[in-house]
């Protein structure tokens, strides 16, 4: 409570860029003492121990929570408590966690290699950056500089993007419309 939570939700894996998120977070953490990084997801390759040691060495261990795999209400609670979802992945075909964040009206900060980054940019539903530490840091600084009203608007845009492009009911309606037009 009283924290500004930046949420990473996904596998703790080298391709997901959690290491660069930790490095970037350390560089912006002093901008607001309420900033907190919540990392949720399974550690499939034994990377978590190394990342915990790195956060400790950077002096931010107390500002990083390692939640492990979240399911059900805990997962959705993490999305609702967060201020920003961040995925600095080096490669991502779609990003289910990104779509879940959008569905919750949570603005996203994602790297360009996340394949839905153009849609996020076009909808003004979040921020897009390169998958390196400097770019993640600059993105987080940009996020911190955005006015509250603009962050709220970005959250509304996030929800609208999900409804318009990723909600199955919307997708089915669009598909039926395309098929009907094609049949004419």
């Amino acid at each position: 409570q009283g924290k500004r939570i930046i949420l990473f939700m996904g596998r703790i894996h080298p391709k997901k860029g959690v290491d660069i998120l930790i490095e970037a977070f350390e560089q912006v953490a002093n901008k607001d003492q309420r900033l907190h990084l919540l990392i949720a997801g399974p550690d499939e390759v034994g990377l978590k121990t190394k990342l915990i040691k790195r956060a400790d060495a950077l002096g931010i261990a107390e500002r990083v929570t390692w939640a492990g795999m979240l399911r059900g209400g805990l997962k959705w609670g993490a999305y609702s408590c967060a201020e920003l979802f961040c995925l600095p992945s080096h490669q991502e075909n779609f990003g289910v966690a990104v779509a879940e964040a959008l569905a919750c009206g949570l603005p996203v900060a994602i790297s360009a290699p996340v394949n839905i980054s153009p849609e996020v940019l076009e909808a003004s539903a979040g921020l897009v950056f390169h998958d390196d530490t400097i770019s993640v840091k600059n993105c987080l600084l940009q996020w911190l500089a955005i006015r509250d009203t603009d962050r709220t608007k970005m959250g509304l845009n996030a929800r609208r993007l999900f409804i318009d492009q990723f909600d199955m009911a919307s997708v089915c309606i669009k598909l039926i419309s395309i098929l009907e037009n094609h049949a004419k």
Side-chain angles (χ1 to χ4, degrees):
Q1 196 169 12
K3 304 261 188 232
R4 296 181 70 187
I5 296 173
I6 298 170
L7 173 65
F8 169 90
M9 179 129 14
R11 294 179 296 127
I12 298 173
H13 187 278
K15 107 172 196 170
K16 299 291 186 173
V18 182
D19 56 336
I20 61 176
L21 177 56
I22 289 170
E23 297 286 336
F25 181 78
E26 182 273 331
Q27 294 176 34
V28 302
N30 66 346
K31 300 294 182 194
D32 188 331
Q33 291 303 310
R34 298 170 300 159
L35 284 177
H36 195 86
L37 182 58
L38 173 57
I39 299 174
D43 180 14
E44 297 180 345
V45 296
L47 184 59
K48 181 178 169 184
T49 301
K50 179 182 174 187
L51 295 173
I52 289 171
K53 287 179 183 176
R54 183 63 184 146
D56 189 44
L58 292 169
I60 58 167
E62 72 283 348
R63 297 186 61 189
V64 179
T65 297
W66 300 87
M69 180 73 173
L70 298 179
R71 291 187 171 95
L74 289 175
K75 176 174 88 169
W76 299 111
Y79 284 122
S80 70
C81 291
E83 179 178 311
L84 180 69
F85 175 85
C86 189
L87 179 62
S89 187
H90 300 296
Q91 188 279 322
E92 203 73 39
N93 291 332
F94 176 74
V96 171
V98 178
E100 290 174 345
L102 295 170
C104 293
L106 180 59
V108 299
I110 59 176
S111 58
V114 177
N115 282 345
I116 63 171
S117 61
E119 289 87 348
V120 167
L121 271 180
E122 185 177 327
S124 298
L127 305 170
V128 175
F129 51 84
H130 295 290
D131 55 330
D132 60 69
T133 303
I134 293 170
S135 297
V136 177
K137 176 191 102 173
N138 289 338
C139 178
L140 294 177
L141 289 172
Q142 182 182 355
W143 175 256
L144 293 172
I146 295 173
R147 296 182 326 209
D148 289 343
T149 54
D150 292 333
R151 282 196 292 267
T152 299
K153 189 175 187 181
M154 200 177 283
L156 295 171
N157 292 341
R159 179 78 175 126
R160 173 61 46 207
L161 173 60
F162 174 80
I163 290 169
D164 289 348
Q165 295 198 28
F166 305 120
D167 178 63
M168 285 309 296
S170 297
V171 170
C172 289
I173 290 169
K174 287 178 186 175
L175 182 58
I176 290 168
S177 176
I178 290 168
L179 291 172
E180 287 174 345
N181 287 334
H182 184 69
K184 291 180 183 178

